[in-house]
Amino acid sequence: MNTDTPSSRRLLPDAPLLAAIAGRPTSRRPVWFMRQAGRSLPEYRKIRAGIGMLDSCFDAELVAEITLQPVRRHDVDAAILFSDIVVPLKAAGLDLDIVAGTGPVVANPVRSAADVAALPKLDADQVQPVSDAIELLTKELGQTALIGFAGAPFTLASYLVEGGPSRNHEKTKALMRSDPATWHALLDGLADTTITFLQAQLAAGVDAIQLFDSWAGALSLRDYREFVLPHSTKVLDSVSGAGVPKIHFGVGTGELLGAMGEAGADVVGVDWRIPLDDAFRRVGPGKALQGNLDPAVLFAGWDAVESEVRRIVAEGDRAVKAGATGHVFNLGHGVLPDTDPAVLTRVVELVHSL
């Protein structure tokens, strides 16, 4: 699928997110939140009642409505597609489910060369409901940018090898170390799945993409460079001709930021563990930074929230003055389910006022 000139690409000259990433002047500092469409919103809980997570992700009209909810409520500068990183794996035919309170659970973990060889490949037609949702959204969003996303090969592999979420990733690291050939074959195949999923979203009209490597922070820098970076680079290189910004994010990745910046993204997401101006020194000039309010701070009362928002904006300004392309305000991870939506709305108002 050619994503160089998607026929459905929108022109968004006034979108603050795209301008900031490109280093152009903006009318306001862009802000959006990871997991902004989700359990923190009562309208989300109402519309999702009785509908399984993965079922929701394959219902185009439901995906579009949930994606729009935080844009209407918070006036954020970007919508991020309501989906899940395991959607392309499910679509390809893997036996997995998202279990409430646990996360993705895989029926038959992948731990051998034979298991890797048996993994199904994804066809773009298998994620057509996602493409349909994007086409609905681009008609509704006006000048608000739409971010598509996918899971990075390492994070997808960690779920497949462990069979579900893991605190220590011991099975994943064991396969990586004991059988590097099988490991690289697994990540190469998952990179192809991720590429197909992202290309489908780009062809449908998303304005930016984010690659989530949620669990890469479990790795040393040496292991990340050897076992992960080539595959993330393959994914980001594959969509470089689409003409949209690419964002790369992981949790606990302060020691990896320099290497993650080499993978080919235009924006590096930063979690709350490292100040943005320190993150800039690790990433280097020529890229934008995204982040990085601790999601837990949103529970601390407005005085504490305001102080932290102002600190982060100041750090972002220093990073830009030092050579970062721009700063996109965000959390350092996703919105926590019990977050008061009114606090998020006030954060957006404050960031825009600064």
Side-chain angles (χ1 to χ4, degrees):
M1 182 181 300
N2 181 6
T3 62
D4 288 353
T5 54
S7 59
S8 52
R9 177 71 60 239
R10 299 187 297 161
L11 298 177
L12 301 179
D14 299 322
L17 177 85
L18 305 183
I21 292 172
R24 301 195 307 269
T26 61
S27 58
R28 60 195 197 184
R29 185 184 307 258
V31 53
W32 67 278
F33 305 112
M34 288 178 281
R35 216 180 293 144
Q36 63 189 12
R39 288 174 290 172
S40 66
L41 299 181
E43 56 266 42
Y44 169 84
R45 294 194 295 270
K46 180 178 179 181
I47 201 171
R48 272 276 327 274
I51 305 174
M53 176 62 183
L54 283 173
D55 290 336
S56 302
C57 294
F58 287 93
D59 182 326
E61 292 187 356
L62 188 58
V63 167
E65 171 58 25
I66 293 173
T67 301
L68 288 166
Q69 287 176 346
V71 180
R72 297 191 193 109
R73 179 182 276 264
H74 302 310
D75 191 29
V76 285
D77 296 293
I80 185 164
L81 184 71
F82 174 72
S83 188
D84 191 272
I85 63 170
V86 300
V87 160
L89 302 179
K90 180 71 172 181
L94 278 174
D95 186 359
L96 60 83
D97 197 8
I98 298 176
V99 178
T102 301
V105 175
V106 179
N108 301 298
V110 175
R111 294 173 185 165
S112 69
D115 294 337
V116 172
L119 286 174
K121 297 187 183 302
L122 179 69
D123 186 274
D125 291 342
Q126 294 171 306
V127 290
Q128 187 61 45
V130 176
S131 299
D132 293 342
I134 292 167
E135 291 175 7
L136 292 172
L137 284 161
T138 56
K139 296 173 184 176
E140 296 289 334
L141 281 168
Q143 286 292 306
T144 301
L146 175 61
I147 303 171
F149 76 89
F154 172 78
T155 290
L156 294 180
S158 74
Y159 283 119
L160 291 182
V161 175
E162 301 290 340
S166 172
R167 181 181 298 273
N168 299 310
H169 303 277
E170 58 267 37
K171 296 180 179 65
T172 304
K173 293 182 179 182
L175 177 63
M176 181 191 299
R177 291 286 187 175
S178 65
D179 192 348
T182 295
W183 172 261
H184 284 294
L186 172 59
L187 263 68
D188 189 61
L190 291 173
D192 289 339
T193 294
T194 298
I195 290 166
T196 298
F197 190 40
L198 287 174
Q199 287 180 339
Q201 295 176 53
L202 288 162
V206 297
D207 306 299
I209 60 102
Q210 177 156 308
L211 188 66
F212 281 88
D213 212 349
S214 305
W215 307 131
L219 299 173
S220 69
L221 177 58
R222 181 184 298 107
D223 284 351
Y224 178 84
R225 284 192 174 280
E226 180 176 353
F227 295 109
V228 177
L229 180 57
H231 305 285
S232 295
T233 301
K234 175 183 173 179
V235 171
L236 291 168
D237 282 352
S238 76
V239 295
S240 61
V244 306
K246 305 179 294 296
I247 309 167
H248 197 18
F249 171 76
V251 184
T253 51
E255 297 303 319
L256 309 181
L257 287 174
M260 290 180 70
E262 297 170 16
D266 306 291
V267 186
V268 177
V270 183
D271 78 3
W272 66 91
R273 296 171 177 87
I274 176 173
L276 285 175
D277 35 6
D278 285 350
F280 164 74
R281 286 187 279 273
R282 299 183 185 195
V283 172
K287 296 184 185 296
L289 298 178
Q290 178 176 282
N292 64 339
L293 181 67
D294 184 342
V297 169
L298 297 170
F299 295 83
W302 181 249
D303 287 349
V305 173
E306 180 177 6
S307 175
E308 284 297 281
V309 169
R310 289 180 179 276
R311 176 186 62 79
I312 290 163
V313 166
E315 289 173 1
D317 286 343
R318 290 197 294 270
V320 171
K321 288 178 182 177
T325 306
H327 173 223
V328 178
F329 192 96
N330 207 311
L331 303 182
H333 199 195
V335 175
L336 297 171
D338 294 328
T339 303
D340 181 353
V343 176
L344 287 173
T345 301
R346 289 187 73 182
V347 168
V348 175
E349 292 170 348
L350 175 59
V351 173
H352 286 165
S353 75
L354 298 175

